Every structure is written in structure tokens, then in C-alpha cells.
Amino acid sequence: RSFIIIWAIFSGYVTAQTCLSGALETTPAANFINNADGTISDVSTGLMWMQCSLGQTWQAGQCIGDADALSWQQALQQAHGYTFANQDGWRLPNIKELSTITERQCVRPAINETLFPNTPSDDFWSSTPSMSDPQRAWVLAFFNSSNSIKQKSLFVFVRLVRTAD
């Protein structure tokens, strides 16, 4: 029983976001407009982001529930025709777009948690396929804002974007 209590105490430290104090923010809240409907508009890129990962529900300023892990093909299919916050045109972001919402002064997750609450500290699909291997596509890890190429058959998280009107 004491093991469970110790694990519960220390597990909070393992999963808590860590940020460098005094480091320059890469996604300051001032660069975004909170649309108060579960979407955020980035004034510097002209992109509108879903605040929650697919599978989560936007409720009272929070992303509730667990994010869905999808294969790359499932992620593309899920995005096609997706409607959220009375908006259509949602799509899987390319790797460059996805990297614009990483908060590089933080890890676990490497994202502004005020703008994007309850983001899993894990890989997220981009729409960018690998140029050297048709079975792989680029992902961005919101653990530490790194990117890599993964097998398209793996199950990875998804956040959708659209070009703001």
C-alpha cells in the first residue's frame, strides 16, 4: 500500500509540465486570440487551431477526456469534412504548421497549456509524408517539441487546424 501512495505522489512530478524560468516564450498568449468556442486563432500565422486533441471534448475552458490515437490514414479521414465550432475546412496540419504551436521553453508537454489544455506529451501526426519512405509520415512530439518520421500504421494523436477566415 505504501508503494501506491509513493507512486501517486511522485507520478505528479513525472507528468507535470516543466518550463525554463526566464526563457523567451515561443507561443505567448498575446500571439493568439481565444475565440471562446474551443478554438484559438494565431495572429502571426493566420491559422485557427482546435484547442483539444481529437477525442477530447471542449467544456468550460478545458479539454475533457482522453485523446484518440489514430493511424495516419485514419487521421486524414477523420479530418476530411470535420465540423467544429460551426466551422468547416479542418485538416491535419503540415509539420511546419504543427511546429508553430510548440512551446520550446517547456517539456511534458511542450505547448502553452493555457491555450491548449490537457495536451498529451506524445507524438501528433502531421499531414507531411516522408519523402524517402511512402510508409512513413512526420510527427511532432509534444514531449519536447522534437519531430521525427513514424510508420503511418502507428497510432498517434491528432490536433486539427484550418486557415482562419
Side-chain angles (χ1 to χ4, degrees):
R1 184 171 181 201
S2 62
F3 170 76
I4 293 171
I5 293 170
I6 291 170
W7 177 82
I9 292 169
F10 286 109
S11 67
Y13 294 111
V14 173
T15 60
Q17 184 180 53
T18 305
C19 298
L20 294 171
S21 61
L24 187 63
E25 286 181 283
T26 57
T27 56
N31 289 0
F32 295 84
I33 297 169
N34 186 335
N35 300 310
D37 60 1
T39 67
I40 293 285
S41 296
D42 184 331
V43 297
S44 60
T45 64
L47 297 173
M48 179 184 284
W49 293 92
M50 288 178 55
Q51 288 182 267
C52 300
S53 307
L54 280 186
Q56 295 176 315
T57 303
W58 179 254
Q59 185 177 336
Q62 289 296 315
C63 296
I64 307 300
D66 295 327
D68 290 338
L70 305 171
S71 71
W72 191 69
Q73 192 63 43
Q74 288 172 330
L76 291 171
Q77 290 170 343
Q78 191 81 324
H80 183 73
Y82 198 85
T83 300
F84 179 75
N86 296 316
Q87 302 281 341
D88 55 12
W90 294 101
R91 59 183 170 77
L92 208 54
N94 66 47
I95 193 65
K96 289 182 180 182
E97 291 170 332
L98 195 53
S99 69
T100 66
I101 62 169
T102 61
E103 180 51 64
R104 290 180 182 85
Q105 75 168 357
C106 300
V107 295
R108 285 175 279 165
I111 197 164
N112 184 323
E113 287 191 308
T114 302
L115 303 173
F116 302 100
N118 201 21
T119 295
S121 296
D122 211 329
D123 292 338
F124 277 71
W125 282 123
S126 80
S127 63
T128 309
S130 166
M131 296 300 287
S132 60
D133 183 351
Q135 300 304 312
R136 294 163 40 120
W138 285 93
V139 298
L140 191 130
F142 281 100
F143 177 80
N144 62 2
S145 76
S146 64
N147 55 48
S148 61
I149 301 172
K150 299 276 177 140
Q151 289 293 123
K152 292 178 178 177
S153 60
L154 293 176
F155 293 94
V156 173
F157 296 116
V158 178
R159 183 179 313 277
L160 298 182
V161 68
R162 64 184 296 277
T163 304
D165 298 329

